[in-house]
Amino acid sequence: MFGLNVAGLAVLLAASMLTGAGRIGTGQVVDYLLGAAGDAHLEMVVTTIRLPRTLAALAVGAALGVSGMLLQAVTRNPLAETGLLGVNSGAALGVVLGIVYAGAQTGGAYLAWALGGALLTTGVVLLIGARFSPLKLVLAGAALSATLTGITSALLVADPVTFDRYRFWVLGSLAGIPMDRVLAVSPAILAGLVMAAFAARPLAALSLGDDVAVALGHRPGRTRAAVTVAVTLLSAAAVAVAGPIGFLGLLAGYLARTVLGNRVGSRIVLSGLAGATVLLGADVLARVVMRPYEAPVSLLVAVIGGPVLIAVARSRSVSAGAGDLLADKAARGGRRIRVLPAGDRLRPRPSDTFPVRLGACSALVPVRSCLAAVALALLACAAVLAAILAGQSAMTAGQALDALRGIGTGGQVMLVQEIRLPRIVAGLVAGAALGLSGCLTQALARNRLATPDMLGVNQGAVIAIMISGLLSSAATLFEHWWTGPLGALVAAVAVFAISGGIGTQGYRFIVTGLAVTTLGGAVTQAVLAWNGLSAATAIHSWSVGSLAGRGYPVALPVAAGLAVLLPAALAVSRRLAVLRFSEDIGTVLGTSPRVTRPAVLALAVVLAGLAIGIGGPVAFVALAAPVLAARLSGSVRLPLVGAPLVGAALVVAADTIGRVVTSGAEVPAGVVTSILGGPFLLWTLLSDRRP
């Protein structure tokens, strides 16, 4: 296998030097490389353009391949990879901080700032890695990535010049990399590779367990520290050269593990060769697949890496590492269905309800749920009031309230009634739709993390709306809101079909959704790079979730959808509540899972697609809203009323924070929820007892 990989790498090296978008022939390049004289243009193309990017592909590919393999070995997790676990996002945040606050321009400066971000993120990953199963660790990495990416986006919003540079760099392109940047990071890559070689034997012992490693004379703590430094050096150097390229470490580690099994030393070598081969091959393909333009390397790697991630998540090794869900719940004292004594069976009504009778009609009204709904409605009203009063204008709170009633100067009345109030209404309906959608998908999958943004549904809607906008002459993307539900439906069908059906339990289908989301994110970044700065800025603001410029016409379709879909969700709530136990119990009680599950999924997907059509993918609202509502109303009943209220309050509050947190610039609501939602997702993972 080593010989085959080396031979393939040699072929790709030749192809990289001979391939380009220009009109220079292969013979001219060969003659020049063999010592023949050439003109200045030929010399520039070969020595200034093709040679540096070829060496960069080798160095970056080897670094990411080895770093991914090291993470997989030290965490004993075949899904560990610097891109998936947030290490690349930490390094990218470090580079952006360096550009914004220190004016970093050179490869050495990029490396220094990337090292800081990568070191911090790697330490967090290894700290939490021991507490999570393989699938949950990937989701924890997604939480870290979301927070770090949110902070990066907040910095870019206030600095258009840095954003213009960032949107090309974040693609992971190898085009135009100068030789001095490659040389500047070479010592860090060499140091990381040397440390990886010395860590081979300790890692092999550590794979047998800490006790065995100690008995063999190794120190697990020192080994993990050495791996942390090595991964930091390799990933930071790679990001500093070519930007964050995801999936490459997963691909290289998967190939090395499949071929060589548990031989750690040989896997380190093969993962480096495989990473270099894959990246160099993707770079060559990027130059020819869209001539005369160049495709993003990260997108091509993601096209290959996404299916590999799904395959690894479905593999027996990951399933075995996660354990059987039902057995784990039984062993840990998970929720069980308790058979009530005869006396309890005769109790006429649940203890938290009271009967309401109107003539011949009667109903049991849940006390706690009603009180929670009232409290959450007051919370939403408080968020609306704060949004009306808050802003960067010199208007006082009293003047804002007067302007709401039409009293005051024309500018004040216009600001409140025509700018703030319409976007508040848009935020309310978008947040309510996301909250209800998240509640339905969580109940459908019996998993608090099964939300539209974690399942790839939001990204499907984003791609559909973005493509529709680019193909038309409409001034704004949200005019194509109607394509959001279509794209969301396609993504949902794809995710559940790949992962094994709507009734799939555990985290496997969420990791599948993460793969779809990552691939869609790469497409979005490519679109940002292919458009002009003004168009890219508008698309970026919408693609992270923003209510800027939204008004009543945009909110109307979502409000109409809620008016129809919320009663439909309440109508199927009893059947859905039964399915939360098991499909067998649902069938016995007369609820058909084959009918109920697709119907509920369609409701959730349409709601998410409509919400994204207004404000873009406001992250984590669909996750947090049902969880917070259930905390207040209790876990016995689905919070189908409370979740929309919490979602509405969260979106309006996030939009308000984004408007006032920085002076002279507006941080999109989706960026605010990403920064705050990452820690919430980590807390949800830590409190969830399933594997």
Side-chain angles (χ1 to χ4, degrees):
M1 184 65 187
F2 286 98
L4 183 61
N5 203 323
V6 170
L9 188 59
V11 172
L12 289 172
L13 279 171
S16 179
M17 292 299 299
L18 299 176
T19 303
R23 297 181 178 180
I24 295 178
T26 301
Q28 293 176 278
V29 177
V30 172
D31 291 339
Y32 179 79
L33 293 175
L34 293 178
D39 56 19
H41 177 65
L42 178 61
E43 180 180 1
M44 181 194 69
V45 169
V46 176
T47 61
T48 307
I49 298 178
R50 295 185 185 178
L51 181 60
R53 76 183 295 170
T54 301
L55 296 178
L58 292 175
V60 171
L64 291 178
V66 173
S67 63
M69 182 269 153
L70 291 177
L71 276 180
Q72 292 172 17
V74 77
T75 60
R76 304 171 201 169
N77 183 350
L79 291 172
E81 191 258 347
T82 55
L84 294 175
L85 298 187
V87 178
N88 288 358
S89 297
L93 174 59
V95 172
V96 171
L97 287 172
I99 294 174
V100 173
Y101 294 108
Q105 299 283 343
T106 65
Y110 279 11
L111 176 60
W113 285 92
L115 279 172
L119 179 61
L120 179 62
T121 311
T122 304
V124 173
V125 167
L126 295 182
L127 180 65
I128 67 178
R131 304 193 60 178
F132 290 147
S133 67
L135 295 177
K136 290 180 74 171
L137 181 59
V138 174
L139 300 178
L144 287 174
S145 295
T147 298
L148 297 171
T149 304
I151 297 173
T152 302
S153 298
L155 294 172
L156 295 174
V157 166
D159 192 341
V161 176
T162 302
F163 171 71
D164 193 25
R165 294 167 58 187
Y166 173 83
R167 66 193 179 105
F168 295 102
W169 174 78
V170 77
L171 284 175
S173 175
L174 297 171
I177 294 177
M179 182 64 77
D180 60 351
R181 186 179 299 179
V182 179
L183 296 177
V185 301
S186 296
I189 294 178
L190 290 175
L193 294 177
V194 170
M195 294 184 68
F198 280 106
R201 292 187 64 185
L203 279 176
L206 194 63
S207 65
L208 302 175
D210 286 12
D211 295 336
V212 176
V214 172
L216 294 175
H218 299 285
R219 298 181 181 181
R222 181 178 295 179
T223 301
R224 292 190 176 94
V227 169
T228 299
V229 175
V231 169
T232 300
L233 288 171
L234 293 170
S235 59
V239 170
V241 172
I245 299 176
F247 288 117
L248 194 57
L250 176 72
L251 285 167
Y254 174 73
L255 177 62
R257 186 177 59 257
T258 302
V259 175
L260 300 174
N262 294 323
R263 291 181 287 172
V264 177
S266 300
R267 283 168 55 191
I268 291 175
V269 176
L270 185 57
S271 62
L273 290 173
T277 302
V278 172
L279 185 57
L280 189 57
D283 184 51
V284 172
L285 184 62
R287 303 180 216 175
V288 299
V289 71
M290 295 180 59
R291 280 185 172 178
Y293 304 102
E294 186 168 312
V297 173
S298 61
L299 178 58
L300 297 179
V301 175
V303 169
I304 304 172
V308 172
L309 172 61
I310 296 170
V312 176
R314 292 172 59 92
S315 65
R316 293 182 180 180
S317 60
V318 173
S319 300
D324 181 76
L325 177 63
L326 297 179
D328 181 81
K329 287 182 73 68
R332 301 187 188 190
R335 182 185 297 174
R336 297 181 177 88
I337 300 171
R338 182 168 56 91
V339 179
L340 297 175
D344 288 343
R345 295 177 195 173
L346 298 176
R347 189 165 56 192
R349 60 184 174 86
S351 59
D352 68 333
T353 61
F354 69 92
V356 174
R357 293 183 177 87
L358 294 174
C361 300
S362 63
L364 294 176
V365 179
V367 178
R368 181 174 176 178
S369 297
C370 290
L371 293 177
V374 172
L376 293 175
L378 293 175
L379 177 65
C381 291
V384 170
L385 182 60
I388 292 174
L389 301 180
Q392 296 188 18
S393 66
M395 186 169 47
T396 65
Q399 290 173 330
L401 291 176
D402 289 338
L404 182 63
R405 295 179 297 163
I407 302 174
T409 65
Q412 292 174 345
V413 173
M414 182 184 71
L415 177 62
V416 172
Q417 294 190 359
E418 298 183 21
I419 297 179
R420 291 184 184 175
L421 196 58
R423 71 186 291 170
I424 290 172
V425 173
L428 286 173
V429 295
L434 288 174
L436 181 57
S437 177
C439 181
L440 292 174
T441 53
Q442 287 178 359
L444 184 67
R446 287 172 272 172
N447 191 325
R448 287 187 296 177
L449 297 179
T451 58
D453 38 3
M454 298 296 291
L455 296 179
V457 172
N458 285 5
Q459 200 63 49
V462 167
I463 297 299
I465 295 173
M466 193 163 51
I467 292 176
S468 299
L470 293 175
L471 294 178
S472 71
S473 58
T476 56
L477 285 175
F478 50 79
E479 293 182 19
H480 298 273
W481 60 267
W482 54 273
T483 62
L486 299 178
L489 183 61
V490 171
V493 170
V495 168
F496 282 105
I498 293 171
S499 59
I502 299 177
T504 303
Q505 298 184 27
Y507 291 101
R508 188 177 68 191
F509 70 104
I510 300 179
V511 174
T512 303
L514 178 61
V516 174
T517 299
T518 305
L519 182 58
V523 174
T524 302
Q525 294 296 339
V527 171
L528 292 178
W530 288 337
N531 279 271
L533 179 58
S534 59
T537 303
I539 294 173
H540 177 260
S541 177
W542 175 82
S543 67
V544 297
S546 174
L547 296 178
R550 306 315 190 259
Y552 298 122
V554 181
L556 182 60
V558 183
L562 277 173
V564 175
L565 299 178
L566 179 57
L570 293 173
V572 300
S573 61
R574 181 168 298 180
R575 296 182 179 182
L576 185 58
V578 171
L579 290 181
R580 286 195 297 172
F581 295 102
S582 72
E583 294 192 3
D584 293 338
I585 292 177
T587 303
V588 170
L589 296 178
T591 298
S592 173
R594 293 185 177 181
V595 175
T596 304
R597 289 190 184 279
V600 173
L601 180 63
L603 288 174
V605 166
V606 171
L607 284 166
L610 288 173
I612 292 168
I614 284 186
V618 183
F620 293 116
V621 172
L623 168 68
V627 174
L628 296 176
R631 290 278 180 175
L632 289 177
S633 61
S635 59
V636 176
R637 294 177 176 83
L638 292 175
L640 294 177
V641 175
L645 291 173
V646 175
L650 288 177
V651 172
V652 172
D655 183 58
T656 303
I657 293 172
R659 287 193 285 115
V660 302
V661 70
T662 60
S663 177
E666 181 176 312
V667 179
V671 172
V672 176
T673 58
S674 293
I675 295 173
L676 301 178
F680 184 86
L681 175 55
L682 284 176
W683 172 79
T684 304
L685 285 167
L686 289 170
S687 62
D688 197 345
R689 303 182 66 181
R690 73 180 69 214

